[in-house]
Amino acid sequence: MRILIVEDEPKVASFIRRALEEENYAVDVSPDGNQGFDLAREVNYDLIILDLMLPGQPGLGVLKALRTAKVKSPVLILTARSEVDQRVKGLDAGADDYLTKPFAIEELLARTRALLRRAGGDPTGVLQVDDLVLNPVTHEVTRGGRRLELTAKEYALLEYFLRNAGRVLTRSMISEHVWDIDFDTFTNVIDVYIRYLRNKIDREHEPSLIHTVRGSGYMLKANT
Ligand code: CA
């Protein structure tokens, strides 16, 4: 899942980025309201973390412009403790949640999981297809009850597949949601990672869950 952080304080931005990357999310950072708005329109982010006090354009303006432009990504706003009216305005302008600074990183991660879960319409948070199970809190992945050891990228790819089970995912959708802005689209990295992932989840198990959809991309689904 891919997340945009719009935050001008470098320390805060890199602190959040590191924590999210440790959770295997792909992360882009913008220090400026206008640039953040452009990115958020260009890329279909799974979540946008938006500071309200920003150079370029303030966060509230960015948020309103995004909702006017029909950008539906969930938005978590960051505000100072004193800015009660800003929080209210933010929620009314289409923010999905807020955090007041300073915040505990564990809380930001929990809210991130909650917003991704809500977007996926799944209240429990555990992702499952057939006997393949991924727990976003513990990062544990099992198939048929047996624990699978995945690398960070394999995990991110599997999480995206599971959140979109039964849907055909094109290579461009996969690169948009699993890799960050530095990804080179002219490589066959996606196919390589799909092969790695298949080796781990499908090679020693029946039925195969990752299907190639000729001419389109890939789909994760149970055979039944
Ligand atoms: Ca700021």
Side-chain angles (χ1 to χ4, degrees), residues 7-9 51 53-54 101:
E7 164 64 81
D8 59 317
E9 284 171 66
D51 186 33
M53 302 274 276
L54 288 170
K101 290 178 178 178

Side-chain angles (χ1 to χ4, degrees), residues 99-111:
L99 263 180
T100 55
K101 290 178 178 178
F103 50 82
I105 198 69
E106 292 75 19
E107 185 171 8
L108 180 116
L109 296 176
R111 284 174 190 267

Side-chain angles (χ1 to χ4, degrees), residues 143-157:
R143 177 130 200 222
R146 265 178 51 204
R147 179 130 187 200
L148 304 178
E149 298 299 333
L150 303 186
T151 64
K153 222 57 198 169
E154 291 162 0
Y155 177 97
L157 187 58

Side-chain angles (χ1 to χ4, degrees), residues 79-135:
T79 71
R81 196 165 292 281
S82 55
E83 298 171 331
V84 180
D85 64 316
Q86 293 289 303
R87 292 204 283 281
V88 173
K89 281 184 184 148
L91 291 169
D92 284 341
D96 297 272
D97 201 356
Y98 69 87
L99 263 180
T100 55
K101 290 178 178 178
F103 50 82
I105 198 69
E106 292 75 19
E107 185 171 8
L108 180 116
L109 296 176
R111 284 174 190 267
T112 296
R113 285 192 295 269
L115 288 167
L116 294 174
R117 197 158 71 216
R118 223 180 288 164
D122 171 24
T124 66
V126 171
L127 304 168
Q128 179 165 10
V129 166
D130 204 310
D131 60 350
L132 176 66
V133 182
L134 180 148
N135 183 326

Side-chain angles (χ1 to χ4, degrees), residues 1 9 17 49 56 77 87 90 112 137 143 156 177 196 223:
M1 311 314 281
E9 284 171 66
R17 163 181 237 157
I49 297 173
I77 52 176
R87 292 204 283 281
T112 296
V137 178
R143 177 130 200 222
H177 289 273
Y196 292 160
N223 272 341

